[in-house]
Amino acid sequence: EEEEEEEEEDWDGRLRRDNLDFEEEDGYSTRAVSFRTSHKSSKHGSPSLPLSSGADYERLDTRGYTSSTARRFLKDPTQIEYQLEEEVRLAEELNLVEGYVAEHVNEVREVLGVEKRPDLDRNVPSRRKGFLAQQEERKLKVLEIAQKYYRKQAPYTEFGEHLLPTGALHRILEKLDVAPSYFLLAMTNKQVLHAVYCTETWTSVNGEKFAGLWSSLTLAGKRCGDAHLLLSGMGPQRLGHVKEMNLSGVKSVTDDSLAIIAEQSPQLEVLLLGRRIDVGPQVTDVGIQDVAACCSRLRVLDLTWCTKVTDAGIKSVAEGCGELHSLNVAYCHLLTDASVLAVLGSCKKMTELLVESCDRISEQGIISIGQLAPRLKRLSLAGCSSGATTMSIIQLSRHCEALTTIDLTSISGLQDAGIWQLSRGCRWLQKLFLAWCVQLSDHSFVQVARNCPLLVELVGRGCVKLSDTSVMQLAQNCSYLQVLDVRGCRLVTQNGLDAMAMLLPSCMVLYDDSSLK
């Protein structure tokens, strides 16, 4: 017990001596290390409050002692936190007082009876006033830029509070479909309503040109019920600027729908009506004639599965649309050679002709295609078993040297001589579809591989005479080949596929696992 009393006396002596030294050095006492540090790093250098007396506050300087020793003599564990909160509160009060004095120096001087400072006026603000003034100046500058730039490039008025440049908004709206995106956005606010209904071409202050948002109307993949009701609601103000119209997603397209298009869309250049057989467009020659009479700028026309259209409708298109360069009349079974001769005789810019499954087109009609349209780049004769014969393909290949894509699917009577002549005459071929041409042998595909080095896609599905020899020749000569379809070709083995994988690893080969040996 005597040793413990001596140790406590020795500790108290050291504690008092250190506290006295610290008071002489800094001019004021401290209650904790964290407190002393906060005093020294204080912005204003304000002195601490006088120490409270009593058991709750014990003057302690932890310099030279470990944290465990300091906690041992600290009776109140919340003392440091309490003092820190008190210091923060005092610092905030001091900042408020200093801010008030800095902002109202002359008023304080008047209360104290001191002469006012004449240099203090509104043009020389204090630090706090200066920061607010800079913020206000920056805000006014941004608004000035917005008024100069954003409003100038807006093709419509009242664009809102300059939230978004009209060019950026226009780019966003260009990526959306007219229906239903535009109609939903138009109901959000007045500013977006003006942006959505922008129809005319305009130029920004940077010289960037923007086309009207209503230049293209796409309803592909949408489950729209009645085209007549939909087009009637849009009105001539918007339909009058439409240049491309895709109604392949509309279930019901009739002659009344085409009458509205012909009346309100005189600038129309692209019209796509193609649908599946179950929901094919119910249009006749009357609707086609209305479009041909009013839309003279028409360049692309798709009438897939328009089974009620006859030669009279196609002849009216040939007479009224001289700029036509793409026509798709697939599965229009009522069309004959007269339609082909009329279109190719009047439309000299024709580059694409798709007459898939048009059974009434004869061999002479196929031959006339090559004679009247030597600039054709894409031709589809799939399913035309009566007209697409070996002789017609030979005559066609002698005239249409610019062909890049040809579809001869399901022409069962086609022989090797036709494909051999086609490969020699059309050396720019990139896509060749020969599915289910059962009479073709390796000789045809070897000639294609040697004469058409730019081939990108070859479909030989169902060609039962195609073997590994053709696959190896394609791998050696067609370095650009990306897709090869040999499904149903029983003579193709694993050796041919390995050769293709080794020579052309980037080519995707479609095959049946069950047919491999």
Side-chain angles (χ1 to χ4, degrees):
E1 293 179 358
E2 293 179 357
E3 292 179 357
E4 291 179 358
E5 291 178 356
E6 291 178 358
E7 184 178 354
E8 291 179 359
E9 291 178 359
D10 183 38
W11 170 260
D12 293 339
R14 292 172 59 189
L15 180 61
R16 286 192 296 271
R17 183 174 63 256
D18 292 340
N19 283 336
L20 291 175
D21 295 342
F22 185 71
E23 289 177 1
E24 293 176 359
E25 178 182 354
D26 292 347
Y28 58 92
S29 62
T30 181
R31 287 160 286 176
V33 174
S34 60
F35 231 19
R36 183 176 65 253
T37 305
S38 64
H39 281 311
K40 290 185 178 181
S41 61
S42 176
K43 183 176 180 181
H44 306 289
S46 57
S48 62
L49 293 174
L51 294 175
S52 303
S53 58
D56 294 337
Y57 297 93
E58 180 178 351
R59 283 177 283 182
L60 177 63
D61 185 11
T62 58
R63 292 180 301 173
Y65 306 102
T66 61
S67 58
S68 60
T69 307
R71 289 195 299 269
R72 178 182 173 186
F73 290 94
L74 188 61
K75 295 182 179 180
D76 188 2
T78 62
Q79 180 177 347
I80 296 179
E81 296 180 1
Y82 176 80
Q83 295 170 0
L84 183 60
E85 293 176 358
E86 186 69 16
E87 283 292 321
V88 171
R89 186 182 65 80
L90 292 175
E92 291 177 354
E93 292 181 358
L94 182 60
N95 287 333
L96 291 176
V97 172
E98 286 186 349
Y100 180 83
V101 173
E103 294 178 6
H104 307 82
V105 173
N106 288 332
E107 297 179 9
V108 174
R109 285 175 170 265
E110 184 178 1
V111 173
L112 298 177
V114 185
E115 184 180 359
K116 296 182 180 181
R117 292 178 56 182
D119 57 337
L120 282 181
D121 51 12
R122 295 182 179 179
N123 296 329
V124 187
S126 62
R127 284 184 300 173
R128 187 176 178 186
K129 280 188 174 180
F131 175 75
L132 296 177
Q134 289 179 0
Q135 291 290 96
E136 187 68 23
E137 183 180 356
R138 189 178 304 167
K139 180 180 177 181
L140 294 176
K141 192 173 183 179
V142 170
L143 288 177
E144 183 181 358
I145 295 175
Q147 292 173 357
K148 278 185 178 180
Y149 182 71
Y150 294 159
R151 276 193 182 276
K152 273 189 177 180
Q153 66 168 337
Y156 29 79
T157 58
E158 299 181 6
F159 181 65
E161 300 297 330
H162 316 290
L163 297 179
L164 188 67
T166 54
L169 179 61
H170 193 92
R171 292 298 187 194
I172 295 172
L173 294 176
E174 279 182 343
K175 305 298 181 181
L176 303 177
D177 294 330
V178 172
S181 301
Y182 283 9
F183 303 120
L184 295 176
L185 289 173
M187 295 185 293
T188 56
N189 57 60
K190 185 177 179 181
Q191 289 74 28
V192 178
L193 175 66
H194 288 291
V196 165
Y197 287 154
C198 174
T199 56
E200 298 181 356
T201 304
W202 57 281
T203 306
S204 65
V205 293
N206 297 333
E208 189 175 4
K209 293 185 178 181
F210 296 93
L213 292 175
W214 288 81
S215 60
S216 176
L217 177 60
T218 303
L219 297 176
K222 311 298 180 183
R223 295 184 178 180
C224 302
D226 189 2
H228 181 269
L229 181 62
L230 179 65
L231 296 173
S232 300
M234 293 182 182
Q237 295 180 351
R238 286 168 286 280
L239 289 179
H241 298 273
V242 174
K243 295 182 180 180
E244 300 180 7
M245 187 175 297
N246 187 353
L247 301 181
S248 59
V250 181
K251 292 183 178 180
S252 176
V253 180
T254 61
D255 292 337
D256 295 335
S257 308
L258 296 185
I260 296 177
I261 294 174
E263 181 182 356
Q264 300 183 4
S265 302
Q267 300 183 15
L268 192 64
E269 298 179 1
V270 179
L271 179 59
L272 308 179
L273 303 177
R275 285 288 288 176
R276 300 186 305 274
I277 184 173
D278 54 343
V279 287
Q282 303 299 316
V283 297
T284 62
D285 294 335
V286 177
I288 300 299
Q289 290 171 358
D290 292 340
V291 172
C294 299
C295 303
S296 58
R297 300 183 181 181
L298 203 63
R299 297 183 296 106
V300 179
L301 180 61
D302 186 356
L303 301 176
T304 305
W305 284 111
C306 295
T307 56
K308 297 182 180 180
V309 177
T310 63
D311 291 337
I314 301 302
K315 288 181 179 179
S316 64
V317 172
E319 295 173 359
C321 306
E323 299 294 325
L324 193 70
H325 66 73
S326 177
L327 177 63
N328 187 354
V329 289
Y331 302 99
C332 295
H333 303 290
L334 300 179
L335 300 183
T336 62
D337 295 344
S339 300
V340 175
L341 295 175
V343 171
L344 298 180
S346 301
C347 306
K348 300 299 183 181
K349 298 181 180 180
M350 185 68 65
T351 58
E352 294 183 6
L353 180 61
L354 308 179
V355 290
E356 181 178 353
S357 298
C358 293
D359 304 328
R360 299 190 179 185
I361 297 179
S362 64
E363 182 181 10
Q364 186 59 39
I366 302 299
I367 295 175
S368 63
I369 291 177
Q371 296 174 351
L372 297 176
R375 298 193 211 176
L376 276 181
K377 294 183 178 180
R378 183 184 177 190
L379 177 63
S380 177
L381 301 175
C384 298
S385 55
S386 60
T389 60
T390 302
M391 182 58 64
S392 63
I393 297 300
I394 292 175
Q395 295 295 327
L396 184 70
S397 60
R398 292 177 179 175
H399 298 89
C400 299
E401 298 180 354
L403 276 176
T404 58
T405 302
I406 186 169
D407 189 354
L408 302 174
T409 302
S410 299
I411 302 180
S412 57
L414 187 61
Q415 298 178 356
D416 291 335
I419 300 300
W420 177 70
Q421 186 64 34
L422 180 68
S423 64
R424 292 185 58 188
C426 306
R427 295 180 179 270
W428 299 97
L429 276 179
Q430 298 179 6
K431 295 183 180 181
L432 179 60
F433 301 92
L434 299 174
W436 305 109
C437 296
V438 293
Q439 295 191 20
L440 298 181
S441 64
D442 283 334
H443 180 72
S444 298
F445 293 96
V446 169
Q447 292 297 323
V448 169
R450 293 176 179 176
N451 297 326
C452 304
L454 301 179
L455 203 62
V456 175
E457 182 177 357
L458 175 61
V459 178
R461 182 179 184 180
C463 297
V464 293
K465 297 182 181 181
L466 191 151
S467 65
D468 292 339
T469 304
S470 302
V471 176
M472 292 181 181
Q473 288 291 328
L474 290 169
Q476 293 175 2
N477 297 282
C478 302
S479 57
Y480 297 99
L481 192 63
Q482 298 179 0
V483 179
L484 176 62
D485 189 351
V486 292
R487 289 175 292 181
C489 303
R490 299 179 180 179
L491 299 181
V492 177
T493 64
Q494 189 65 44
N495 297 330
L497 298 180
D498 292 341
M500 177 63 70
M502 184 181 299
L503 297 175
L504 283 179
S506 61
C507 180
M508 180 178 65
V509 181
L510 306 177
Y511 60 93
D512 294 330
D513 294 336
S514 60
S515 63
L516 294 179
K517 297 181 180 179

